[in-house]
Amino acid sequence: MISVQDYNNAVKEHTRSIFRFLYKSLRDREATNDLVQDCYLKLWQNREKINPEKIKPWLFSVAHNAMLDYLTSSSRKVQLDEDFQAPPVFQKNDFDAKAILERTLNELPPLQKSILLLRDMEGYEYREIGEILGLTEAQVKVYLFRARQKVKDYIKELAHVI
Amino acid sequence: MKPTTSDADENSPDLLLFRYVEGDLDAAQVQELEARLASDAALRDELAFWKESFAEPEAYDTAHLEKSLLVPVEPRWTGSYFGTWIFILTLTVTLFRPVPVAMETRPVLIPAPVSTPAVADVVTEARNPEEAITRSRMTRITLPFREKRLPETIEVERNVNESIIPAPIPGIKSRPPEVLSPVAQLPLTGIKVQKVKPKPKPIAVARTLSRRQGRAIMRMKEKARQQRKADQFLKGNVPYVVPLNSENF
């Protein structure tokens, strides 16, 4: 059972992490804001079922599923705006490591991207990532290996081109 | 399709470097790998690419988002209740504290002791009465305002030019002597400073009624008046007159 105080503490402590996790995947601030609000709405709606000590993993799990749903729904949409421009991260020509990493992350499948972000930015262990995403520890390890390998290969390829 | 660990070769350099950067190798494996890194430049370059595969956390401003998500907590009224009780207590103490009694003095004439002239020495007719009076000491009499006990002595100022009518002292039952001595017949005046404690004035609390209370009182009065009329009617004190309807006749 989550009290109002627990909810408020969760907002103050985890909003930045959830936002960063979703924004790294979506690169859309408005959509990220909506999804973060959806996550906390679900947190409050399911407050009687959630262990207060596991709010953060629960939020990441909901955020990951929300992100998958958003990507699925957005992939069906047809962009009617002719003036639509891709996010700036795709148009940068300066090959700094950060921009390359951002571009590489966008190339990753959502699950691998989520595992990589949870591991690097939140510092979760394999077991915790598995609990959040519904995977075994071994699966998380393999997915993470593949994600890092893709990023490494991409960076390596760009470095050779430059 | 779910991946398995068999997809990657356990002895491949990639997996080894991955486990190295992830910190999954034990001490012996780390020592062995670092020995290889010291001698293999290509492996060192590969390790550098692996190290660049880590995502760096970025800071985003989410203050506005947090503000929109926070649930306003209802204010607790404990402090206000406490403050209210403190205010009521202070008001009560202020209103009902004991009013300090101002002691006022007023002169009281003490009549001359008619029954027993409290003269220490014997006054005879041969002596000058005034002189005898001047030298005499009278018994101090305390009027029974507070204490019933009479004091020993009292000094009395006498003014021979003023005359007062002797009156019996309340509380002292004495029978006037049949033959008054000249001293007793002299008009005596006595001035006694007596402390009188005035009664504390009752605190007048202005009772003001609100309109709502006034209306409630009016309704209660009207109801009582109607009840009295109904009682009188039931007792038969009030005749009930049936209005006549001409159509019935």
Side-chain angles (χ1 to χ4, degrees), chain A residues 61-74:
Chain A
S61 177
V62 172
H64 174 73
N65 293 329
M67 185 253 297
L68 292 180
D69 293 342
Y70 177 80
L71 291 175
T72 305
S73 62
S74 62

Side-chain angles (χ1 to χ4, degrees), chain B residues 123-220:
Chain B
V123 179
T124 61
E125 293 181 355
R127 296 179 58 183
N128 187 5
E130 294 183 7
E131 183 182 353
I133 292 169
T134 306
R135 289 188 295 126
S136 67
R137 286 181 177 276
M138 294 184 64
T139 306
R140 174 173 292 186
I141 299 172
T142 303
L143 297 180
F145 288 100
R146 275 267 176 150
E147 296 180 351
K148 298 293 182 184
R149 188 172 59 85
L150 296 177
E152 296 294 333
T153 58
I154 184 173
E155 291 186 5
V156 179
E157 296 179 13
R158 298 175 179 172
N159 187 1
V160 292
N161 296 327
E162 297 178 0
S163 60
I164 61 171
I165 300 173
I169 301 173
I172 298 177
K173 294 180 179 179
S174 61
R175 186 165 52 88
E178 296 177 355
V179 180
L180 294 178
S181 64
V183 178
Q185 292 176 359
L186 287 175
L188 299 178
T189 57
I191 298 175
K192 165 80 168 58
V193 176
Q194 178 205 357
K195 293 182 179 180
V196 178
K197 182 179 179 182
K199 294 181 179 179
K201 295 180 180 178
I203 300 171
V205 179
R207 181 173 176 81
T208 57
L209 297 176
S210 63
R211 290 185 174 182
R212 187 175 181 181
Q213 291 174 328
R215 287 195 297 270
I217 291 173
M218 290 299 293
R219 282 196 296 272
M220 291 169 62

